[in-house]
Amino acid sequence: MTPLAAAANENLAQISNYLIYSSMAVYMLAFFAHIAEWTFGSRSKVGRTAAALTGAKEAGAAGAAATAPAVQVRGKGGATAVLDQPKVTTRSATGARDVPDGPGAAGGTVQGDLYGRIAVSLTALAFLIEAAGVVARALSVQRAPWGNMYEFSITFSTVAVGAYLVLLALKKNIRWLGLILVTTVLLDLGIAVTWLYTDSDQLVPALHSYWLWIHVSTAIFCGAVFYIGAAGAVLYLFRDSYESRLEAGGTPGKFRSSILERLPSAASLDKFSYRINAAVFPLWTFTIIAGAIWAGDAWGRYWGWDPKEVWSFVTWVAYACYLHARATAGWKGRKAAYLALFAFACWIWNYYGVNILLSGKHSYAGV
C-alpha cells in the first residue's frame, strides 16, 4: 500500500470514529426526548384513554350484535318464526386476560406525543450518522467492517435501530420500545469505544472469503432482531406481573402504574416477542449452515467443536425449544418468556463470553 493510500485510509478511520461519537451524542438527545415523552404523558389521561379503549371495544361488540342478521327457523307446515338476534360475545384465548393495549408512552397527550416524535426523529438521525460511520470504517480497511468485536458492535447497534425504524415505518405500534432501545444502544456503543476499540487493520487469513459478507452479516442481523424479541419478553414479564396484581385485587404503586399501564397488554407483548423470534429463527439456522460451509473451506472441516461453533448451536437449540414449546406444548406467558430470554442470553454469551474468555479458531476479537 502506498503512503498516500495509507494516509487516506487513516483519515477515513478518523472520520468513522468521529461519526460514531457524533451518533452517540444524538442518541443521547433521543434518550432525553424519550424520557420527556414518558414524563409528560399525563397519568390521568392514561386512565381515560385506557377506559376509552375498553369502551370502544365494547361498543364495537355491541355494534356487531346490532347488525347481526336475525335467525329464521322453519317449523312444521312451512311456517317460519323469527328469533331474537344472536348475542355476539368475544372471548380471549384460554388463560389470557381480555385487557386492551395501553395508549403508549405519550399517554394519549399531545405534548407527550410531540416529544415522542422528536425522539424518533433524533433516533433516525443518529442511525444515519452511525451507519455512515460503519461505511467509513469499511472504506478505511477496504473490506466488510466485521473483522473484530468493535466493528461487530457498531454494526450490531446500527442494525437493531434500523430494524426498529423499519417496524415503525410499517405502522407497527412499537414506539414504546424506543427508550429501552436507545438506552441499550448507548451502552453497546460505550462498551465498543471504551473497551473493544481496535485500530483499522486487515483480516486474519481465515477471514479472507466472500463468506464473511454472508455468514457474519446474517449473524449480526439475527442478533439485532433477537434483541428486539428479548426486549419484548422482558416488558411482557413486567406487564404480566402488573396485570396479575390488578386481577388479584392489588393496588400497584402510582409510578409503576403510570409506566406499565401505557404498555401493550401482556398478551400483545407475548405475541410480539414470539413473532419476532419465529421470523428470524430460519435465518439463524442459515447462519450456522453458512458458518459450517465456510469452516470447511477455511479449515478443511465443517465442525470441530470450537467454542464459537458449540455456543452457536446451543443458541439454535434454545430458540428451537422455545418455538417448539410454543407450537406443540402450547407454552405461552411466563414460561415461554423465560425460555426466550435464556436463548438470547446464550447469544450474548456467544458474543462476549466466547470471544473474550475462551480461545479457539474464532479468537480474533482484537481486544
Side-chain angles (χ1 to χ4, degrees):
M1 181 181 296
T2 64
L4 183 61
N9 290 343
E10 181 63 27
N11 289 334
L12 285 170
Q14 293 177 357
I15 291 173
S16 173
N17 296 341
Y18 172 77
L19 290 171
I20 295 300
Y21 278 104
S22 298
S23 71
M24 293 177 66
V26 181
Y27 278 129
M28 184 62 69
L29 294 177
F31 170 81
F32 287 120
H34 275 299
I35 290 292
E37 178 188 17
W38 282 95
T39 301
F40 288 100
S42 171
R43 298 181 182 181
S44 59
K45 185 68 175 180
V46 169
R48 293 197 299 271
T49 304
L53 287 172
T54 305
K57 185 173 184 181
E58 293 173 353
T67 58
V71 177
Q72 293 186 349
V73 179
R74 186 173 300 276
K76 296 182 179 180
T80 60
V82 180
L83 303 181
D84 293 336
Q85 293 176 342
K87 182 180 179 181
V88 178
T89 58
T90 57
R91 296 182 182 275
S92 57
T94 303
R97 307 179 190 92
D98 191 12
V99 179
D101 291 342
T109 62
V110 174
Q111 188 176 22
D113 183 67
L114 174 62
Y115 281 110
R117 292 177 183 275
I118 292 173
V120 172
S121 299
L122 289 171
T123 302
L125 176 60
F127 163 76
L128 294 175
I129 296 173
E130 186 182 9
V134 174
V135 172
R137 177 77 176 196
L139 294 175
S140 71
V141 292
Q142 300 179 3
R143 56 168 172 80
W146 309 315
N148 51 61
M149 289 186 67
Y150 169 74
E151 295 172 355
F152 194 103
S153 294
I154 62 176
T155 306
F156 170 85
S157 57
T158 304
V159 174
V161 176
Y164 167 73
L165 294 175
V166 167
L167 290 174
L168 286 177
L170 294 175
K171 307 299 183 181
K172 303 298 182 182
N173 183 24
I174 63 163
R175 204 167 78 186
W176 44 266
L177 186 61
L179 179 59
I180 295 178
L181 176 68
V182 170
T183 303
T184 49
V185 164
L186 283 169
L187 179 63
D188 173 74
L189 291 177
I191 293 174
V193 300
T194 304
W195 291 295
L196 303 180
Y197 181 78
T198 304
D199 291 330
S200 300
D201 200 358
Q202 294 304 308
L203 296 172
V204 296
L207 295 182
H208 283 286
S209 172
Y210 61 88
W211 282 106
L212 176 66
W213 293 90
I214 301 173
H215 172 65
V216 182
S217 64
T218 55
I220 293 173
F221 179 81
C222 290
V225 180
F226 279 147
Y227 159 75
I228 293 177
V234 170
L235 291 177
Y236 161 78
L237 291 173
F238 284 106
R239 174 74 188 205
D240 180 69
S241 176
Y242 171 75
E243 291 181 9
S244 297
R245 185 164 184 178
L246 289 178
E247 191 176 33
T251 305
K254 291 184 178 180
F255 178 78
R256 184 183 183 191
S257 296
S258 175
I259 298 298
L260 294 178
E261 68 187 358
R262 297 187 238 177
L263 293 175
S265 67
S268 295
L269 289 169
D270 182 46
K271 185 184 299 182
F272 170 79
S273 179
Y274 169 67
R275 288 180 174 177
I276 289 291
N277 289 325
V280 79
F281 178 74
L283 191 59
W284 181 247
T285 304
F286 170 78
T287 301
I288 295 178
I289 295 173
I293 296 174
W294 188 8
D297 291 343
W299 301 315
R301 92 288 186 280
Y302 296 104
W303 185 266
W305 297 103
D306 184 79
K308 177 70 70 173
E309 296 169 349
V310 170
W311 278 99
S312 295
F313 181 67
V314 169
T315 303
W316 183 90
V317 170
Y319 275 109
C321 290
Y322 164 74
L323 296 175
H324 179 74
R326 291 279 310 220
T328 60
W331 273 29
K332 293 182 181 180
R334 303 188 72 86
K335 292 189 296 183
Y338 287 136
L339 188 52
L341 291 176
F342 172 76
F344 184 69
C346 291
W347 191 93
I348 290 294
W349 167 256
N350 190 28
Y351 176 52
Y352 285 105
V354 172
N355 283 1
I356 296 175
L357 302 178
L358 304 180
S359 61
K361 287 185 175 295
H362 291 79
S363 299
Y364 38 78
V367 295

